[in-house]
Amino acid sequence: MELRHLRYFIAVAEELNFTRAAKKLHTAQPSLSQQIKDLEDYIGSTLLERNKRRVSLTKAGEVFLQQARIILDNAEKAKKMARKAAQEQIVLTIGFVPSAEVKVLPEVIPVFRLSHPEAKVELISLFNPKQEEELLQGDIDVAFMRLPIKSDYIDFKVILNEPLVVLMPANHRLRYCEKISVEDLHGENFIIPDPTQSGILQQIIENYFNEHNVSPNIIQTANNMLLILNMVSLNLGCAIVPFYITSIMTDAVVCRPLSGYSPTIELIMAWRKDHTSELLSHLIDIVENKYL
């Protein structure tokens, strides 16, 4: 019995029609019928009842169908895992949020490439929730992201603690202030990050305003920092953003630090606890030596 026998049987069992199953499998109907007969001979039991009008599963066929699907699913998983194991020594896939793109990757990737010139580094920009999901699925090896982390299967280290600053249009009334008091933001039109995409950032901003009994006029949520930057440049309102924004902002906006206590946000490096990648281990060492 081979995997093709299972595929043929599943196709017939799902279609309950040899003609349609043969078309689906891109094979001739007589050949398909022979493959099913060979399978039944091997099993020693009739799996399909067929006559001129209909095809139906026997009791044995129903049991076999369930197990055949599991076998094919496991075979596909085994193939993917084997391919990943063969490649993991030469490929490192990194997920990141914009802060890491500006503040971390330019510092650590060149160092990593010097030590591993043979390695292929794949960089994938992902929203925060997607990073944890893809880490758990094994689609990325490491994530530079924001908290929170929900899974117990992921380990992480805090590598940066960025101050938050006020982003405002270049013609804003507060543009001449060296620092911005939180009370000055009361009633101001404000753009905030989407809590479903920004990790803990939105909650930090909300808590900061609540602690000072300040209520800005929230006019818009935005699912990424570039959109916030563009909205502020269009004079739609102000925003509180991580300091890295100063590296990419245009002349249409200005940034000012907050006076007094200034909230901060952590950038973390996260990976699966059960990882076996030597490339990832070396990247972790590089980041720790650079930032910790």
Side-chain angles (χ1 to χ4, degrees), residues 193-212:
D194 184 343
T196 65
Q197 305 296 340
S198 64
I200 202 170
L201 177 58
Q202 187 270 343
Q203 190 62 56
I204 291 174
I205 296 171
E206 182 177 315
N207 290 345
Y208 178 65
F209 284 136
N210 289 339
E211 288 169 8
H212 293 83

Side-chain angles (χ1 to χ4, degrees), residues 36-265:
I36 298 300
K37 183 179 183 304
D38 291 344
L39 177 62
E40 289 177 322
D41 289 343
Y42 178 83
I43 298 298
S45 180
T46 300
L47 302 176
L48 295 164
E49 294 285 0
R50 53 270 217 196
N51 55 43
K52 292 182 179 180
R53 292 187 175 182
R54 62 192 296 269
V55 176
S56 60
L57 286 166
T58 64
K59 195 66 176 178
E62 291 176 357
V63 173
F64 189 78
L65 175 61
Q66 181 182 11
Q67 296 304 313
R69 285 171 170 158
I70 293 173
I71 291 169
L72 284 186
D73 285 344
N74 286 337
E76 184 63 23
K77 289 178 183 176
K79 181 181 73 173
K80 289 181 178 180
M81 292 175 66
R83 287 179 176 175
K84 182 174 177 59
Q87 295 175 352
E88 68 177 3
Q89 296 304 313
I90 58 172
V91 178
L92 187 69
T93 305
I94 302 173
F96 62 90
V97 293
S99 177
E101 183 179 9
V102 174
K103 305 285 288 187
V104 177
L105 298 183
E107 299 291 333
V108 302
I109 295 301
V111 178
F112 177 81
R113 292 301 302 272
L114 283 175
S115 300
H116 299 278
E118 79 290 350
K120 178 182 178 182
V121 178
E122 296 181 346
L123 301 175
I124 305 176
S125 177
L126 295 167
F127 287 128
N128 216 68
K130 191 68 174 175
Q131 294 223 47
E132 182 171 357
E133 176 185 329
E134 298 213 359
L135 269 179
L136 292 171
Q137 292 176 349
D139 294 326
I140 60 176
D141 298 300
V142 61
F144 291 92
M145 59 184 291
R146 306 291 190 189
L147 292 170
I149 292 287
K150 298 178 181 178
S151 173
D152 293 333
Y153 295 99
I154 294 177
D155 204 356
F156 70 90
K157 290 184 181 293
V158 177
I159 59 174
L160 285 179
N161 201 10
E162 293 184 81
L164 300 184
V165 295
V166 179
L167 183 71
M168 66 184 80
N171 62 353
H172 194 273
R173 64 180 179 85
L174 298 174
R175 65 188 182 278
Y176 296 116
C177 299
E178 291 186 7
K179 293 186 176 182
I180 305 298
S181 167
V182 63
E183 287 78 13
D184 289 333
L185 301 176
H186 184 79
E188 283 287 331
N189 289 341
F190 231 80
I191 301 153
I192 61 169
D194 184 343
T196 65
Q197 305 296 340
S198 64
I200 202 170
L201 177 58
Q202 187 270 343
Q203 190 62 56
I204 291 174
I205 296 171
E206 182 177 315
N207 290 345
Y208 178 65
F209 284 136
N210 289 339
E211 288 169 8
H212 293 83
N213 295 315
V214 169
S215 299
N217 179 32
I218 306 301
I219 63 166
Q220 182 77 44
T221 59
N223 64 6
N224 64 77
M225 284 294 125
L226 184 58
L227 181 55
I228 290 178
L229 184 59
N230 288 336
M231 287 180 170
V232 174
S233 70
L234 292 172
N235 209 19
L236 297 179
C238 301
I240 290 181
V241 296
F243 182 74
Y244 82 87
I245 284 292
T246 60
S247 300
I248 61 174
M249 68 184 196
T250 68
D251 292 339
V253 299
V254 293
C255 263
R256 296 291 183 265
L258 287 155
S259 61
Y261 158 71
S262 178
T264 61
I265 186 168

Side-chain angles (χ1 to χ4, degrees), residues 4-21:
R4 60 184 171 87
H5 289 107
L6 302 184
R7 294 191 185 96
Y8 287 176
F9 171 73
I10 291 173
V12 176
E14 290 177 343
E15 296 293 335
L16 295 178
N17 183 288
F18 275 82
T19 301
R20 290 197 299 268

